[in-house]
Structure formats: structure tokens, C-alpha cells
Amino acid sequence: MIIDDHSRLLVGGELFYSDNACNFQKVLKDAIATYGIPDKLYVNNGCSYSNEQLSMICVSLGILLLHTKVRDGASKGKVERYEASREHPRKPLSREWLDDCFYNRITRKVRKDSTIAIDSICYDVPMQFISAKVNVRYLPDDMDSAYILYENKKFPIRRTDRNDNCHTKRSNLPAIDYSRAGGATNV
């Protein structure tokens, strides 16, 4: 549950079988889409609320992320939507912009077979990124929308089909001269 501390209005809430960062981010995103961007987000210190992804989301949105004192669970889930100097909450620039702000962000080095791993699952990436470090954006519950962000362009990634991957021709890899592999030979 997320409560606006000014009006005491319940601005977000949903029931889940587990309390995790992904589920909290869904609730926060829906609250912002409906009621606007808060100035502050006040949460407890649990791993669902104290993680790098939530910090990056708040920075993207211009929200000050505050954490409660340890063992102060009664005060979690508050947002300060109105300040004394504000008449209206800030609205997201667009739904697409809001979606982009909530993508998780990680950096991965692309392997020579043009794949990366996210949570122990392999994904194919465009061959132009072989051996490069790439910035990956994804929603943990929707990996079909995952992409590499490079020079403000989105390059989609897809789950690796290992059978297809082993038959892929990769033209940008250096050719190996096998005639020199065994050293000098006398003929």
C-alpha cells in the first residue's frame, strides 16, 4: 500500500503472494500514472524498498527517496504528494517516458557467442556488441520487452535458443588460420 501523507489518500495498493521489489515497483508506477509524481517517497529498509533499481527509478523521476529508521515499519509506504508551495502534483511527461523510468538497469559484457546472462538465463544480442559492455533495460516480469540502450537507440534482445545459436554465422569474429596451429611443419 502507498499512502499520500498530505491527503491520507490511498494512492496505490495491490495484493501479491510475495513482497518483492518488482511488485512494489508495479504499485508505485500505477500510483504515479494515476496521481502524479511525488516529491518524496518514504519507505522502510526492507530489500523490496532499499535497492539500487528503486534508487535509479527515483532519480529518473526526480523523487527524493527516504528510508525509515530501522524497526519503524508503521511509517513505510508514505509519499508526500503536495508541498506547501505546490498546487498540483507533477505529471509524467508521457506513459512511454514513465515506462522507461521503471525499467531495471544492468550492465553486461557480451560474450563471443553474442549472448549475455540475466538471472542465469541467456539472451541473444545483436552481433555488433560482441565483447562490448552494454546497458540493458528490462522489466523482470516481461523479459520480451528487454533491450540494449546504445546511443539513445533501443536494440531488442531475446531469449537464447541454444540450438539456433550454435549454427549462427558470426562474420565479425577474426578468422583462425589453422595451418599455423601446430607450429612449423617440414614437408
Side-chain angles (χ1 to χ4, degrees), residues 50-70:
S50 184
N51 58 68
E52 185 179 7
Q53 295 301 328
L54 182 60
S55 295
M56 287 190 284
I57 289 168
C58 287
V59 167
S60 297
L61 295 167
I63 298 171
L64 178 61
L65 180 61
L66 302 169
H67 290 91
T68 64
K69 294 178 184 175
V70 177

Side-chain angles (χ1 to χ4, degrees), residues 94-180:
S94 68
R95 183 62 192 205
E96 182 180 334
W97 177 81
L98 183 60
D99 290 344
D100 286 345
C101 288
F102 275 84
Y103 273 85
N104 285 355
R105 300 159 175 94
I106 57 172
T107 301
R108 292 288 187 266
K109 181 166 182 178
V110 180
R111 299 179 191 134
K112 300 247 186 246
D113 65 351
S114 189
T115 63
I116 59 171
I118 301 173
D119 296 330
S120 302
I121 299 172
C122 282
Y123 294 89
D124 290 331
V125 303
M127 284 189 266
Q128 68 202 51
F129 296 112
I130 289 176
S131 297
K133 283 191 175 182
V134 295
N135 295 313
V136 181
R137 300 293 196 314
Y138 69 98
L139 296 171
D141 61 339
D142 182 18
M143 291 304 291
D144 291 337
S145 66
Y147 62 90
I148 291 173
L149 184 63
Y150 180 73
E151 295 182 351
N152 291 326
K153 293 182 183 173
K154 296 177 181 179
F155 296 86
I157 66 174
R158 64 182 168 92
R159 192 167 182 161
T160 300
D161 179 333
R162 293 199 184 267
N163 191 35
D164 286 346
N165 186 278
C166 72
H167 296 293
T168 301
K169 301 258 188 226
R170 293 174 180 84
S171 59
N172 60 344
L173 295 178
I176 298 173
D177 184 0
Y178 289 103
S179 64
R180 298 178 187 219

Side-chain angles (χ1 to χ4, degrees), residues 11 14 21-22 28 39 60-61 76-77 85 92 112 134 157 173 187:
V11 295
E14 198 167 331
C22 180
L28 180 61
D39 295 323
S60 297
L61 295 167
K76 74 176 183 176
S85 62
K112 300 247 186 246
V134 295
I157 66 174
L173 295 178
V187 180

